[in-house]
Amino acid sequence: MSYTESIGSRTYRFADLKTLLAKASPQRSGDQLAGIAAASEEERVAAKMALAQVPLRTFLNDPLIPYEADEVTRLIIDDHSAQAFAEISHLTVGDFRNWLLRTATETDALTRITQGLTPEMVAAVSKLMRNQDLITAARKRPVITRFRNTVGLPGRMSVRLQPNHPTDDVKGIAASMLDGLMYGCGDALIGINPASDNLAAITKLLQMIDDFRQRYQVPTQSCVLTHVTSTIAAIEKGAPVDLVFQSIAGTEKANTSFGISLALLQEAYDAGLSLQRGTVGSNLMYFETGQGSALSADAHFGVDQQTCEARAYAVARKFEPFLVNTVVGFIGPEYLYDGKQITRAGLEDHFCGKLLGVPMGCDICYTNHAEADQDDMDNLLTLLGVAGINFIMGVPGADDVMLNYQSTSFHDALYVRDVLGLRRAPEFEEWLESMQIIDERGALIGASARQPLLEGARDWMGIA
């Protein structure tokens, strides 16, 4: 089915729904690279006008990637709830935007329709929304998950403590981990990107974190972000695996390029569940995504990169994850050129994930060859804090020395918590108070009070 829209004397024609969505997307370098972006702002406006008139039912009847050719499409269609969709089934995309932004549409309503939404529906409506609209709607849709603590409660924001090291040196990682904990970070998880997939090295890191966690009774969870097959192997060897990690994308072909399938993810999920390591809940999958991943694998099938990204959240939703992280500026300026595009993408991802019932966090980041700087990251950090983001990154100095990109620091987390009045996960906050790291208001206590814990942990880990 084709779509048309006239502006003045000019009529724009869009060959199909896939083309219409791509042309309606805000400007970004990835869609330009793929040759699917609007040729002008006028064409983009025309596409938005035409998209606003498309009934939501259309997305169920006209898959962007054929059902028989893609297991992600099959997952989206097969898991769709007609009952949950009934409440909004009469709406167009434009009507849906208005419905989302009504004051009367609150958390209960957004929760009721979650299983009736497809990624394409939420991607489509996001293209009609300003940044403030994305923030307003996402803020009304908290997604709460539990493993050893509770993440995603309204008024709270967690931090992934990311103590990476370029050679996986255990003492170097431990030093960064202690640094982050002294700043009150780590309630989302302590998560290490290993320099290699060596099973012995992965197991050593997992054991180090778990030994520390048990010694000091820290109510958090750990993860070494290796390929899911390596995690399964670690589980089989008896390693103390908490969260099971994998990068995912929105098409079967892109996931194949990552060496995964839905069946493999199910195997990993079942393996993680078998350990029964959660104490307050059993959400245990940790997924990372990013706009442009399908395009970089030549696996986007002409679908715009933001819609492909939203489709990845359908994959995530299937496995009831503890955390999902859009690593928004990591892939590079070929996909998100500058600070403005990174900011917009981060807000889109958070909005789409939350509407789909996914516990969204964001690595607010950029590569050194992007047209962006730390001021852009401050802006996005603040906007996502207002929008109700589940978690952000805590990287020593905001500079990841292993992955070589710029993110957010322990100090950035202190800033956004202070100015927005955001607390940590409740179980983790209680532990920080008991260890005299924070006071009852959540503020850091002076260094002298924290010194005994710091010195004891250093001695135990052999850190000078």
Side-chain angles (χ1 to χ4, degrees):
M1 178 180 177
S2 63
Y3 302 85
T4 61
E5 187 64 46
S6 296
I7 297 180
S9 60
R10 188 187 297 271
T11 298
Y12 290 91
R13 292 180 173 82
F14 308 99
D16 51 28
L17 187 57
K18 178 165 53 179
T19 302
L20 181 63
L21 286 166
K23 300 291 188 182
S25 293
Q27 183 179 17
R28 61 203 52 194
S29 52
D31 291 338
Q32 292 172 321
L33 177 67
I36 60 176
S40 66
E41 287 302 315
E42 185 174 275
E43 185 181 25
R44 183 171 288 110
V45 169
K48 289 177 184 288
M49 292 169 65
L51 181 59
Q53 301 170 52
V54 175
L56 291 180
R57 289 185 180 277
T58 303
F59 295 96
L60 299 173
N61 301 323
D62 188 10
L64 304 185
I65 302 173
Y67 180 92
E68 62 277 5
D70 183 89
E71 69 173 0
V72 177
T73 299
R74 293 194 290 275
L75 171 68
I76 292 167
I77 299 300
D78 294 349
D79 281 9
H80 181 260
S81 169
Q83 182 179 359
F85 182 58
E87 186 170 347
I88 56 169
S89 61
H90 61 289
L91 299 178
T92 65
V93 176
D95 294 333
F96 184 40
R97 173 190 176 274
N98 296 337
W99 184 86
L100 288 170
L101 297 176
R102 291 189 313 169
T103 303
T105 302
E106 298 180 338
T107 301
D108 287 348
L110 294 178
T111 303
R112 279 198 309 272
I113 68 167
T114 297
Q115 297 300 321
L117 295 174
T118 69
E120 293 83 358
M121 292 177 193
V122 297
V125 75
S126 76
K127 299 176 192 300
L128 306 184
M129 302 176 93
R130 294 170 57 185
N131 286 1
Q132 65 175 254
D133 300 336
L134 298 173
I135 292 168
T136 298
R139 187 177 176 84
K140 296 193 287 187
R141 181 53 173 104
V143 180
I144 301 165
T145 56
R146 295 174 175 86
F147 190 75
R148 283 200 193 92
N149 60 28
T150 306
V151 171
L153 292 166
R156 296 180 182 267
M157 185 200 73
S158 297
V159 176
R160 169 188 160 188
L161 204 174
Q162 184 170 302
N164 293 345
H165 192 280
T167 63
D168 289 341
D169 180 77
V170 173
K171 289 185 179 181
I173 288 171
S176 293
M177 183 178 74
L178 287 174
D179 188 26
L181 289 168
M182 292 304 109
Y183 280 101
C185 295
D187 50 341
L189 77 154
I190 299 171
I192 302 166
N193 297 90
S196 78
D197 268 345
N198 179 276
L199 186 58
I202 291 164
T203 302
K204 188 175 183 180
L205 293 175
L206 285 168
Q207 194 64 59
M208 181 272 289
I209 301 173
D210 201 59
D211 289 347
F212 179 87
R213 180 190 64 78
Q214 293 193 59
R215 182 181 179 90
Y216 291 98
Q217 298 182 311
V218 191
T220 190
Q221 34 284 320
S222 65
C223 184
V224 173
L225 282 68
T226 186
H227 192 270
V228 68
T229 53
S230 297
T231 302
I232 293 171
I235 291 172
E236 291 172 347
K237 293 288 186 180
V241 173
D242 287 344
L243 303 186
V244 176
F245 167 80
Q246 183 55 49
S247 293
I248 58 173
T251 72
E252 180 179 351
K253 184 178 178 181
N255 284 326
T256 299
S257 75
F258 290 157
I260 62 168
S261 64
L262 297 181
L264 181 59
L265 292 178
Q266 185 67 54
E267 180 184 347
Y269 176 62
D270 292 340
L273 279 179
S274 72
L275 299 179
Q276 298 182 328
R277 290 176 60 84
T279 55
V280 299
S282 58
N283 302 114
L284 58 82
M285 299 299 284
Y286 175 31
F287 295 119
E288 287 194 344
T289 68
Q291 287 195 28
S293 59
L295 174 58
S296 68
D298 191 26
H300 64 108
F301 300 93
V303 177
D304 68 273
Q305 66 181 39
Q306 189 248 333
T307 302
C308 278
E309 171 72 2
R311 284 169 56 94
Y313 305 151
V315 176
R317 180 169 64 176
K318 177 69 175 177
F319 301 100
E320 301 179 341
F322 183 67
L323 305 168
V324 175
N325 178 29
T326 169
V327 193
V328 68
F330 183 75
I331 302 181
E334 300 84 0
Y335 306 96
L336 297 170
Y337 179 73
D338 57 16
K340 182 176 182 179
Q341 291 187 17
I342 292 170
T343 297
R344 173 70 189 191
L347 294 175
E348 288 171 348
D349 294 351
H350 179 248
F351 163 83
C352 290
K354 284 295 184 64
L355 254 64
L356 291 167
V358 172
M360 290 303 297
C362 183
D363 191 342
I364 300 160
C365 63
Y366 64 101
T367 56
N368 290 312
H369 62 310
E371 291 294 321
D373 59 27
Q374 212 64 38
D375 285 338
D376 295 311
M377 301 305 104
D378 287 348
N379 293 342
L380 180 54
L381 170 63
T382 306
L383 294 171
L384 286 172
V386 174
I389 194 81
N390 278 33
F391 73 102
I392 62 167
M393 300 296 111
V395 177
D399 184 1
D400 193 297
V401 295
M402 196 281 281
L403 292 173
N404 195 29
Y405 78 115
Q406 308 304 308
S407 186
T408 47
S409 70
F410 308 141
H411 301 81
D412 295 331
L414 291 177
Y415 147 74
V416 75
R417 282 171 167 157
D418 181 47
V419 297
L420 297 178
L422 300 171
R423 305 295 291 251
R424 299 165 180 87
E427 301 90 345
F428 190 77
E429 194 165 74
E430 289 177 11
W431 176 79
L432 291 173
E433 284 188 56
S434 73
M435 302 302 288
Q436 294 186 291
I437 295 173
I438 63 171
D439 62 22
E440 68 279 357
R441 298 173 296 119
L444 290 181
I445 295 174
S448 59
R450 305 197 303 272
Q451 198 65 24
L453 169 63
L454 186 58
E455 291 301 326
R458 282 175 172 168
D459 289 345
W460 178 64
M461 291 181 169
I463 303 171

